[in-house]
Amino acid sequence: MEDEVILLNFWPSMFGMRTMIALEEKGVKYEYREEDVANNKSPLLLEMNPIYKKIPVLIHNGKPVCESIIQVQYIDEVWSNKNQLLPSDPYQRAQALFWADFIEKKVFVCGRKTWATKGEELEEAKKDFIEILKTLQSELGDKPYFGGDQFGFVDIVLIGFYSWFPAYQKFGNFSIEPECSKLMVWGKRCMERESVAKSLPESEKVIGYVLRLKKLYGI
Amino acid sequence: MNQEEQVKLLGLWGSPFSKRVEMVLKLKGIPYEYIEEDVYGNKSPMLLKYNPIHKKVPVLIHGDRSIAESLVIVEYIEDTWKTSEPILPQDPYERAMARFWAKYVDDKVILALWKACWGPETEREKMVDEASEDLQCLEKELGDKQFFGGETIGFVDIAADFIGYWLGLVQEASGVTIMTAEKFPKLQRWSEDFVANSFIKEALPPKQKLVALFKTKFGSAKSK
C-alpha cells in the first residue's frame, strides 16, 4: 500500500521549510497544501492540530505529526533507508538535538525583532542576533555542514532562516556578512542542494511578505 | 561511548528539570555521581566548562563528554543504555506523539502553571483559566491509561514531573489552586501513581524544603 503524505504549510514559514527539505531528502512523494493562516485556516488544519492550530502539519496515512523538529525526526525514522539525517551515534545525536533546541529557542524570536521593533529595542536585537549567529558559526567551525561531511539535521533546522536573512538585514538595516562570513558560505553551500533550493522561497518574496506584515501591524 | 564509563550529573536539588534526568538514571539502574551546583550563587568551573552555551543544569557528563538540556539528556540515556525499561516507544509514530506531548508540557503547561501561581494578582484569573485549559488537554491525553507512557512510566510522564509532584507544593506555597481532584481526576490519580513509583520517589526533593524555598524565593514577589 502506498503511503499518503500531506503537508499543510504556509510558504514563508522557516519551520515548514524544515519538513519540506526532510521529505525531499528522503524522496518522499507528498501533497503540498497552502494554508491561509492569517484569515482562513482549513478545517483539516484545525482538526489535525487542535492544540496549536499552526503549520506545518504532516499527515501520514491520515495521522498527524505536529512541530517541525519532531516531524524531521519522524521522517528520518520512518524513511530510514535513504539519506540519514540524524547521526547514529547517541552522543552525536544528542549534540544535534541540543543545537536544534538552541536554534529553536533563539533564532526566530530575535530575528523577528529585527523587522518588528525600532529604536533601542532594535539595536539590542541586532547585536543579539549577530551573537547568536556567531555562536552557531563557531559550532560549525571548519566543517562543511553542522554534522560534518554530510548535510543533516542541524543544517535542516537552521537553513530556512537563510531565506529570511535579506529581509532581516534590509528592515533592520544591518549586515550579517562581516562577522558571519563562514555561516553565509554554509548557507550558499546548502542552497546548492536540490532539497533546499526547492523548499526555500526567494528572498525577494520574503521581503514582500514582511512589508505586508509591517503595514498590517503598523510597524 | 562506553556504558562502563563514569556518569556524573550536575544538578540542582529542587529543579524538576534536573530531577527528570535522575529519575531516568534510577529507573534504568545506571550508577552516577551527583554533584550539586550552586546555580544562582556561584556556578562551578565544571558547569561553565561542560555547558558553556546556557550555563544551566542539568548537565550529564559521560566519560569526558557532556550533554545539556534535560529532554535531550533523557533521549541520550535511552539511546546509550539499551537495557530494560524503555522510556520511549519503538514505533516512530508513537515516538513522535511522546515527543510532542513532552514538548507541550515544556513549552506551554509548566510556564502557564508557574505564571498563574506567581504572577500579578491582576492577571490571576486569566492565567488560571489558561493553565486549566492546558491541563485539560493533558487530562484528555492521559485518558484511562495508567501513565502517559501506558502501563509503565515513559517520556511524557518524566517530562510532566513538575505536574506530578512540584505543582501540589507550588499551589500550597502560593495559595493558588488550579489542579484539584474534582476538576482533574485522571491527572490527580496519575500524579499519585507517579510519585508512588519507588525509583521516582527516591529522586524527589523533600516536600517541606521545597515549600519553604518557594515561599521565600517567590512569595515575597507576589502581590496579594
Side-chain angles (χ1 to χ4, degrees), chain A residues 49 51-52 60 63-67 69-70 73-74 77-78 89-95 97-99 101-102 104-106 135, chain B residues 1 51 53-54 65-69 72 75-76 79-80 82 90-97 99-101 103-104 107-108 137:
Chain A
N49 191 358
I51 301 277
Y52 296 110
H60 184 203
K63 299 205 285 191
V65 180
C66 303
E67 297 299 297
I69 289 178
I70 294 173
Q73 280 180 276
Y74 174 76
E77 287 174 15
V78 171
D89 172 67
Y91 179 71
Q92 296 304 330
R93 186 151 62 236
Q95 292 313 298
L97 290 175
F98 173 86
W99 285 104
D101 176 76
F102 175 86
E104 194 73 327
K105 284 186 165 91
K106 307 264 184 189
T135 302
Chain B
M1 185 65 54
N51 190 3
I53 300 289
H54 298 305
R65 294 153 130 188
S66 63
I67 303 104
E69 292 303 302
V72 175
E75 286 217 38
Y76 171 78
D79 288 341
T80 306
K82 286 185 188 301
Q90 286 287 75
D91 173 70
Y93 189 75
E94 297 305 315
R95 288 162 79 85
M97 288 301 101
R99 288 173 180 140
F100 174 84
W101 286 106
K103 190 171 198 286
Y104 178 70
D107 287 355
K108 217 164 180 276
C137 292

Side-chain angles (χ1 to χ4, degrees), chain B residues 100 110 123 127 183 197 213:
Chain B
F100 174 84
I110 295 178
E123 300 265 303
M127 305 259 82
K183 287 205 195 123
N197 175 288
L213 173 74

